[in-house]
Amino acid sequence: MKLSVRFAPSPTGRLHIGNIRTAVLNYLLARKAGGTFLLRLDDTDRERSTEEFAEGIRTDLRWLGLAWDREERQSARFARYTEVADALKASGRLYACYESEDELDKKRKRQLARGLPPIYDRAGLKLTGDEKASLEAEGRRPHWRFRLPNTDPAGGLLAPEPTIVSWNDLVRGDQTVDLGSLSDPVLIREDATPLYTFTSVVDDVDFAITHVVRGEDHVTNTGVQIAIFEALGAAPPAFGHHSLLIGADGHALSKRLGTLSVETFRSDGLEPMAVVSHASLLGTSDAIEPHRHIEELAELFDLAKVSTAPARFDPAELRTLNAKLLHKEPYEDVAERLAALGVGGGATFWEAVRGNVGVLAEARDWWDIATSDIDPVIENAELTARAADLLPPEPWDAGTWGAWTAEVGKATGAKGRALFHPLRLALTGRDSGPELKALLPFIGHPRAASRLRG
Ligand code: GLU
């Protein structure tokens, strides 16, 4: 069977480093196996989901280069969910419950007070047709719970059945969830809208999803969902749960994720492949290196390399990775963007400065330093004035710097840092930067002479 995965964000916000990681892992799994990557918009929550966020997610995925083969949205599938829910109602796996939130809360408190786990007591299951009719006559509408395949904690209504669900997790190895410790989940709300736990399974069956890769916050859901797959007569897919991200300080990232969005990375000028490289290698046994092509990452990819320990995300590391990526970026691949930034000098200039930029736009700073007015810094006026006198006539090339500084050294007796530092400060106004042998021809004689003279 062809491998098929899905990335299922809710369009209630934009993508951030946490869900990019899920997207990237799914994408690479599909890519490596020649399978399909489905974008599923989990938009059953009509109040919080917006078309603007859906479009934002598409924009983010496109920018990252994570092309999807197919898109589905849950809001278009309500009829299908109703159909499947009706079948589960008919078979008794979905049962009507009438408690209000308040009543449920009271039940839980009573259980806790008696030292019992706050598991739903399946009161709904025991209602007779008359009792249901009279509750509905009071104006109550039912919500629907899925009867988990476990023994009834209250009255032994059900024959004892196995309560442990297990699977071999692609990341975490053997996993078990004890359904006996869980309440029967509500799958259909009072207003008849279906909940994620249910819709996700219906979709995974209908779209023939073979592998579900998601965060470890879904491990318990997986236990419940495997039971739902079975109730639907479907074989569950393989599951892999990656660990969640923590910040550099070791604390959960969840509250800070909004500022770690694809949108912010893009507006900060980061390269999509730096973000994708970081997201895919973070928390794996591979070194975090920049890769220029997603195929290279697909080549390396193996879910077994993903660690079960929380992965530490430090935005400063992402910026360092971005710089490393640019350091090996060939001119042809950035030529158009450099032109748009107003950076000239072709491949020679790019190769001169690429080792000194953190984001591409900084190439423009070096272009301005080479070709516009700057404030030179004069550290040793005697030396730099003498150096100005010794500047050879143009044309200049990469050999000019070496020949000229040798002359200046001879004439002044300065060498090493005492020679080069004042020249750099005068010529660029900066303490450090690209090799001057590459930059000098772009500065040219008139600017170089005037800078050296202060
Ligand atoms: N919409 C769900 C979420 O973002 C999808 C989880 C899943 O992959 O099943 O948490």
Side-chain angles (χ1 to χ4, degrees), residues 153-381:
L157 260 175
L158 304 163
E161 289 175 72
T163 59
I164 303 287
V165 172
S166 56
W167 70 95
N168 189 354
D169 197 277
L170 300 168
V171 178
R172 298 160 61 90
D174 285 338
Q175 295 292 297
T176 54
V177 169
D178 178 7
L179 298 181
S181 66
L182 302 175
S183 294
D184 287 341
V186 176
L187 298 191
I188 313 284
R189 290 194 192 89
E190 217 175 88
D191 66 2
T193 57
L195 280 134
Y196 153 78
T197 315
F198 174 59
T199 55
S200 183
V201 174
V202 176
D203 289 353
D204 289 341
V205 173
D206 287 356
F207 305 146
I209 297 300
T210 59
H211 293 68
V212 170
V213 176
R214 55 187 179 186
E216 66 182 18
D217 48 336
H218 285 290
V219 166
T220 305
N221 275 344
T222 296
V224 171
Q225 288 181 327
I226 286 176
I228 301 176
F229 276 103
E230 282 164 1
L232 297 180
F239 287 92
H241 296 86
H242 60 76
S243 64
L244 301 183
L245 295 181
I246 51 170
D249 57 6
H251 289 117
L253 262 190
S254 45
K255 293 210 179 65
R256 282 168 281 169
L257 284 172
T259 60
L260 300 171
S261 64
V262 176
E263 227 180 345
T264 319
F265 297 152
R266 184 170 47 214
S267 66
D268 286 351
L270 296 176
E271 303 293 310
M273 276 310 295
V275 178
V276 171
S277 300
H278 203 63
S280 77
L281 298 171
L282 200 63
T284 71
S285 50
D286 286 318
I288 303 189
E289 291 293 341
H291 290 269
R292 295 182 45 245
H293 301 290
I294 221 152
E295 295 74 26
E296 297 169 15
L297 289 168
E299 203 52 46
L300 276 175
F301 177 79
D302 183 352
L303 270 181
K305 291 182 183 171
V306 178
S307 160
T308 53
R312 214 171 263 263
F313 174 73
D314 183 350
E317 275 173 25
L318 174 56
R319 284 194 294 276
T320 306
L321 197 75
N322 197 71
K324 273 174 123 179
L325 180 76
L326 288 171
H327 297 179
K328 54 181 196 174
E329 201 66 61
Y331 176 66
E332 310 79 71
D333 289 10
V334 286
E336 247 173 64
R337 289 163 65 205
L338 289 173
L341 285 166
V343 177
T348 318
F349 186 78
W350 170 244
E351 282 156 20
V353 302
R354 67 181 173 183
N356 289 85
V357 298
V359 292
L360 194 82
E362 285 168 19
R364 174 62 199 250
D365 300 341
W366 288 111
W367 182 246
D368 289 341
I369 286 171
T371 64
S372 318
D373 288 340
I374 60 152
D375 291 325
V377 176
I378 302 300
E379 190 181 58
N380 179 343

Side-chain angles (χ1 to χ4, degrees), residues 83-161:
E83 181 183 27
V84 179
D86 285 347
L88 287 178
K89 287 176 191 174
S91 69
R93 291 306 292 271
L94 268 184
Y95 62 94
C97 298
Y98 294 85
E99 297 91 343
S100 65
E101 264 314 315
D102 208 37
E103 286 161 349
L104 288 172
D105 200 44
K106 287 204 178 98
K107 275 191 190 191
R108 281 191 291 263
K109 284 190 178 129
R110 274 199 304 272
Q111 286 169 311
L112 287 169
R114 286 165 49 207
L116 296 171
I119 299 173
Y120 179 62
D121 62 6
R122 289 183 166 159
L125 208 48
K126 296 163 209 154
L127 294 171
T128 64
D130 285 349
E131 284 166 332
K132 288 185 203 173
S134 76
L135 285 163
E136 296 200 17
E138 277 174 26
R140 296 203 190 215
R141 291 280 155 269
H143 55 271
W144 298 80
R145 287 187 191 260
F146 176 69
R147 182 171 58 77
L148 290 170
N150 58 20
T151 50
D152 178 21
L157 260 175
L158 304 163
E161 289 175 72

Side-chain angles (χ1 to χ4, degrees), residues 10 14 44 47 66 75 108 117 241 296 308 310 313 330 408 410:
S10 295
R14 294 290 290 263
T44 50
E47 270 168 29
L66 306 178
S75 57
R108 281 191 291 263
H241 296 86
E296 297 169 15
T308 53
F313 174 73
V408 179
K410 243 188 266 164

